[in-house]
Amino acid sequence: MTILCVRFQLPPLYEAEAALPGLLGLLQEFTPVVEALPPDGALVDLGGAERYFGRSAVELASVIRVRALALYGVDCVIGAGPGPMLARMALRDARPGLTRAVPEGEGRVREFLAEKPVAALPGVGAATARTLCDYGLDTLGRVAAAPLSTLQRLVGAKTGRELYEKASGVDRGRVVPNAVSRSLAAERPFERDELDPDRHRRALLSAAGELGARLRALEKVCRTLTLTVRYADRSSTTRSRTLKEPTAHSAALTRTAYGLYEALGLQRARVRALVLRAEALGPADQASHQLTFDPVDEKVRRIEEAADRVRAKFGPGAVIPGALAA
């Protein structure tokens, strides 16, 4: 059992989300094989670390949790398993303070999976789950017991074989260190359905600031910004906009987010959550920036760089926008 799936319990605030790069660095103190799972998780391969530290993956998970709490004040939930897929599934049953581990052994892995709904399997979407449930294959145990040929007729040859193997506990995935993220997302849920446009805008300010900080920490820029608004009736609206130039500048991301929001023309909409996603990521050192004679823009960028240094030294909550201080 060498794979951990870690999800940090970050509060829905910009200053807490900005700590994610540091938390990933904490994981890399144990092993260089760390794959980020934005916005708040990671896969960790502890195969070599178990031998080096003389501790099991579950014991190392406890050390990781204690260090995250001591250094960042952030708790985490952790799932452990022999492969990435099983570690992800164990994470679903994990609770803060405890590590959920998949039992070792082929038979015990099958028992762990048997009663789980087919939709709990990573990679199984709503359409595939609905098709399987229509034929009574609503649990992974029933899927594993079904003939392979039957699954292939229902969902296709390739998908059917992959589904059969995964339901049987065969985990062929691996942790890819330093994987390049194609997008970063920041979600801002509301405690209750929110009607106030000012609160919507403050949520967008927080999300854009978080994305900017994470992009700069990763030395990335984004070319496209996407806004998803989720409503009380569980419907949603998504709009995207291509930026004038690739950027990680929080002010530019905030302006674009405000523009997307205002273009929707929401009137008394009961909003349940706002999701802002930075897409088409690229290296910051290869991005071009149009120079201007505007001293305000240059001043804002210098302040942003200084704020990043202050947060790195004194903690992510050292500098926050005034509109979010309350």
Side-chain angles (χ1 to χ4, degrees), residues 39-100:
D40 58 0
L43 284 171
V44 186
D45 189 339
L46 294 176
E50 287 181 305
R51 294 188 295 271
Y52 181 83
F53 292 103
R55 297 186 179 186
S56 68
V58 174
E59 291 173 333
L60 291 174
S62 299
V63 178
I64 289 171
R65 179 179 293 107
V66 170
R67 290 194 180 183
L69 281 168
L71 298 176
Y72 297 93
V74 174
D75 200 355
C76 54
V77 292
I78 303 177
M85 180 199 75
L86 293 170
R88 286 173 183 257
M89 297 194 70
L91 181 69
R92 294 173 178 264
D93 300 332
R95 296 292 183 270
L98 296 174
T99 299
R100 180 68 166 97

Side-chain angles (χ1 to χ4, degrees), residues 106-158:
E106 182 178 346
R108 301 185 69 184
V109 169
R110 283 176 173 268
E111 291 178 3
F112 170 79
L113 295 174
E115 298 302 321
K116 295 191 176 300
V118 67
L121 195 67
V124 174
T128 301
R130 186 164 52 249
T131 299
L132 294 171
C133 290
D134 288 342
Y135 288 88
L137 303 176
D138 55 346
T139 66
L140 295 180
R142 292 178 178 176
V143 171
L148 174 60
S149 58
T150 299
L151 295 176
Q152 290 179 323
R153 284 198 300 270
L154 292 177
V155 298
K158 180 180 179 181

Side-chain angles (χ1 to χ4, degrees), residues 17 35 42 44 50 52 54 67 79 109 117 137 167 176 182 196 201 217 223 238 248 251 267 283 289 295 298 300 308:
E17 295 281 4
E35 179 180 353
V44 186
E50 287 181 305
Y52 181 83
R67 290 194 180 183
V109 169
L137 303 176
V176 182
R182 296 183 179 180
D196 189 353
R201 291 174 65 88
R223 184 178 294 274
T238 301
Q267 296 181 358
H289 169 55
E298 184 64 26
V300 170
D308 286 342

Side-chain angles (χ1 to χ4, degrees), residues 193-267:
D193 300 335
E194 187 56 65
L195 297 170
D196 189 353
D198 289 337
R199 291 184 179 272
H200 297 166
R201 291 174 65 88
R202 283 199 293 273
L204 291 174
L205 173 63
S206 171
E210 175 198 329
L211 288 180
R214 290 167 59 190
L215 286 169
R216 294 191 296 274
L218 296 171
E219 298 183 351
K220 300 288 184 181
V221 292
C222 73
R223 184 178 294 274
T224 303
L225 200 64
T226 299
L227 171 64
T228 300
V229 182
R230 296 175 181 165
Y231 304 106
D233 61 358
R234 298 187 179 182
S235 64
S236 63
T237 303
T238 301
R239 294 290 185 272
S240 296
R241 182 169 297 180
T242 300
L243 303 172
K244 294 181 179 179
E245 61 183 20
T247 186
H249 186 31
S250 295
L253 296 175
T254 301
R255 287 194 297 270
T256 303
Y258 284 167
L260 287 167
Y261 173 79
E262 292 167 358
L264 292 175
L266 301 180
Q267 296 181 358

